[in-house]
């Protein structure tokens, strides 16, 4: 069997793959890319024309990065749910499976065709309307990975309600914050779900969150509960809580629901993500541009063909699941797997068992999962038939060459191209990526910008008066984008100034990503990690300031805290917390456990610090600013690289911190 050719560290796609790919050479890509940035009117206009518009746009785009203003498909009217469902049925895909749900118990499989999805979505849209939900209202969704989640999303999109999905692993407090910020009056949740052989309750957190909202003067009027687990009782509050199953079965609920035609710039969803302050940002995406971008990026990057079976292992609670489990696949008429459980239960071959069972052809996961499975040994993938796979993807954090090689060898059998896709919640879809049939890849390089993406690695600038200068080849710069692309976020919900200040000030005239990147001789991008106070723990994005705020709120013990990231073999990065205790409070392991428990309660398990060190002070400049560089170096064990510490108010604190390193 042919394997991919490797030359000077570059891996070339097989000829068979190239022949059938949408884009078969770099030259072809260059031509398309040039048109996409120089003549978006034609390039994006043509792509958008492949989709259904109730009213055609007047102009493709308009932007002003000096004001943070972006518009796409101006004046156009469409509906994303219509394009994902009705339009697919019109194209003859009515009986094709749209959502393939695989529960944790292997026999728990639900296959929903496009026609069945349309009926379910229409019913649930009618349920939402019955409950008073109207265009522009926010609907909070706190659901596990079950098929009802895409149904709920598409139901919102059909009637123009704005969904805000909260990852099921977030705590009640984190859920409260998001409900309050979005002003959601309705919450969709489940009684519980399966996780590693246990039943976990979602409703318990949902109830606490609703009570906490009430304390802040905000009432969640309606809670719809999916009965995911049988024999798993949860309290139902009369007048507020109802079962999803009863609601959609009610005699007055029709399985037909008229479409709310949306302006291209009408909001589609809000998704909260971490930034460099203590408060998560409500990233706002709108309808038309996001639709066109999720459509085209899915099609070209995954080289999607009608016969493919697509499996993205992300959670729909993160942007990857929004764009590449639900919207991107469905607008392309694909079969997309929704998987409830974890990669390692009952054995560390669960992903591979699913690939074998459903003959998955495109598989998309995160480096942290690959590293965790790599540790379990190759016997697990070798015990499964993975011959249906033709393309692999990676997302969420830089993929280290060892993990890349393992993925390539044991999962891709040295024949599947790997697309290492760089993007963010803010970008709506993938921005930097290989096109799998068009050029060779290098492990740990995300390679080239997708169509419409004018990406640059820029040298830092101190003011708008300085010109923007590209970092020299192979030297790190700030990853920025010079113009808007259709899937770009349009704002931070309720905080227009924060939107501008976060993304458009660091490099005036550009969108600033928060990531560092280098470009090599071929123009390939290599992502170097965040250069702001955001850490990627197991591919989950966490703001260090958020974790500090959670720690500081344990105010019986904590006087001050500083949290930084440090390299971790499996998680990619982990959190390291330096804590100054209040006078009279004794440091102890019990206290460490309490602090971890407190952070889990305030945010969720994904925010628990992996290491905690009690300190008597923090390295601060004379003006009181914490020198995080030093804390990062100590956490990483790079004690020889601490650099100049003489500008600190009290340089002796560094010795103490180094000695007490965990
Ligand atoms: O640091 C980058 C990293 O993940 C961040 C975005 O996180 P989030 O908004 O949660 O979205 C994750 C899924 C799109 C980025 O700023 N990141 C994402 N993909 C990659 C990556 N870092 C390196 N390589 C990638 N392929």
């Amino acid at each position: 069997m042919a394997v991919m050719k490797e030359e000077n560290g570059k891996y070339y796609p097989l000829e068979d793959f190239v022949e059938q790919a949408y884009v078969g050479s770099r030259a072809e890509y260059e031509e398309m890319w040039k048109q996409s940035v120089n003549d978006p009117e034609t390039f994006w206009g043509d792509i958008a024309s492949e989709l259904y518009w109730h009213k055609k746009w007047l102009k493709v785009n308009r932007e002003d990065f000096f004001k943070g203003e972006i518009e796409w498909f101006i004046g156009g009217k469409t509906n994303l749910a219509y394009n994902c469902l009705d339009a697919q049925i019109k194209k003859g895909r009515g009986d094709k499976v749209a959502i393939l749900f695989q529960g944790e118990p292997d026999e728990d499989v639900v296959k929903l065709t496009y026609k069945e999805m349309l009926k379910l979505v229409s019913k649930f849209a009618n349920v939402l309307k019955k409950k008073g939900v109207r265009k522009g209202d926010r609907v909070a969704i706190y659901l596990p990975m079950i098929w009802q989640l895409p149904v709920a999303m598409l139901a919102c999109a059909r009637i123009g309600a704005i969904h805000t999905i909260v990852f099921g692993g977030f705590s009640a407090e984190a859920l409260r914050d998001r409900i309050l910020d979005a002003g959601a009056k309705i919450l969709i949740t489940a009684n519980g779900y399966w996780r590693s052989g246990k039943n976990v309750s979602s409703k318990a957190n949902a109830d606490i969150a609703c009570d906490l909202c009430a304390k802040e003067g905000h009432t969640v009027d309606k809670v719809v509960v999916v009965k995911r687990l049988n024999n798993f009782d949860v309290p139902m509050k009369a007048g507020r809580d109802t079962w999803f199953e009863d609601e959609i079965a009610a005699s007055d609920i029709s399985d037909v629901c008229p479409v709310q035609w949306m302006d291209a710039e009408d909001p589609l969803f809000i998704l909260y993500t971490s930034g460099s302050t203590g408060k998560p940002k409500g990233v706002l995406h709108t309808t038309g541009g996001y639709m066109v971008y999720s459509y085209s990026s899915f099609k070209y990057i995954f080289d999607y063909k009608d016969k493919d079976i697509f499996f993205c292992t992300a959670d729909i609670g993160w942007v990857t699941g929004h764009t590449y489990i639900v919207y991107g696949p469905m607008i392309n008429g694909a079969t997309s797997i929704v998987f409830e459980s974890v990669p390692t239960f009952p054995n560390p071959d669960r992903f591979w068992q699913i690939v074998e069972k459903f003959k998955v052809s495109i598989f998309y996961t995160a480096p942290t999962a690959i590293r965790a499975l790599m540790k379990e040994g190759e016997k697990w993938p070798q015990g499964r038939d993975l011959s249906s796979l033709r393309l692999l993807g990676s997302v969420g954090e830089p993929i280290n060459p060892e993990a890349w090689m393992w993925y390539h060898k044991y999962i891709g059998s040295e024949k599947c191209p790997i697309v290492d896709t760089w993007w963010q919640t803010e970008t709506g879809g993938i921005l930097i990526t290989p096109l799998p049939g068009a050029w060779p890849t290098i492990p740990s390089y995300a390679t080239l910008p997708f169509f419409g993406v004018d990406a640059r690695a820029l040298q830092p600038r101190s003011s708008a008066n300085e010109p923007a200068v590209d970092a020299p080849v192979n030297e790190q710069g700030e990853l920025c984008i010079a113009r808007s692309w259709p899937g770009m976020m349009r704002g931070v919900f309720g905080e227009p100034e924060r939107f501008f200040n976060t993304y458009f000030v660091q490099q005036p005239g550009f969108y600033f990503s928060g990531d560092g990147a280098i470009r090599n001789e071929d123009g390939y991008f290599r992502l170097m990690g965040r250069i702001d106070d955001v850490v990627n723990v197991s591919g989950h994005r966490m703001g260090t300031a958020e974790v500090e705020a959670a720690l500081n709120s344990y105010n019986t013990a904590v006087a001050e805290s500083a949290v930084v990231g440090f390299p971790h073999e499996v998680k990619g990065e982990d959190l390291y917390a330096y804590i100054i205790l209040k006078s009279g409070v004794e440091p102890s392991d019990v206290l460490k456990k309490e602090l971890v428990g407190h952070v889990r309660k305030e945010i969720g398990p994904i925010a628990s610090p992996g290491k905690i060190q009690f300190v008597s002070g923090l390295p601060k400049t004379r003006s009181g600013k914490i020198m995080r560089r030093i804390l990062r170096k100590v956490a990483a064990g790079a004690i020889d690289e601490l650099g100049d510490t003489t500008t600190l108010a009290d340089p002796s604190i560094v010795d103490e911190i180094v000695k007490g390193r965990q």
Side-chain angles (χ1 to χ4, degrees), residues 273 318-320 394-399 420-426 446 513 515 527 529-530 536 539 541:
T273 192
W318 307 111
V319 75
T320 306
S394 168
V395 60
E397 47 175 324
I399 177 164
D420 174 359
T421 62
W422 176 85
W423 59 297
Q424 312 177 295
T425 306
E426 292 88 337
S513 68
D515 277 20
L527 281 305
R530 300 286 306 197
N536 275 312
R541 175 168 161 181

Side-chain angles (χ1 to χ4, degrees), residues 481-504:
I481 318 291
R483 60 188 90 201
S484 74
W485 60 98
M488 183 176 191
M489 73 186 287
R490 298 295 196 268
V492 175
F493 186 70
E495 298 179 278
E497 276 161 27
R498 191 169 177 198
F499 176 54
F500 185 74
N501 291 332
T502 309
Y503 303 105
F504 301 100

Side-chain angles (χ1 to χ4, degrees), residues 147-222:
W147 58 263
Q148 291 86 349
L149 177 46
V151 167
M153 294 164 79
L154 289 160
C156 290
R158 191 166 191 90
I159 62 171
I162 305 167
H163 57 72
T164 181
I165 305 183
V166 181
F167 170 58
F170 275 122
S171 69
E173 280 77 358
L175 176 59
R176 168 203 56 195
D177 294 345
R178 286 154 179 76
I179 293 174
L180 287 176
D181 193 82
K185 305 291 279 178
I186 176 161
L187 172 66
I188 321 296
T189 189
N191 60 344
Y193 58 100
W194 285 101
R195 192 156 183 100
S196 305
K198 293 197 192 79
N199 284 170
V200 182
S201 172
S202 307
K203 179 69 165 50
N205 275 349
D207 285 340
I208 299 170
C210 290
D211 290 348
L212 292 169
C213 284
K215 280 196 193 142
E216 305 287 330
H218 176 86
T219 319
V220 177
D221 298 325
K222 304 285 176 205

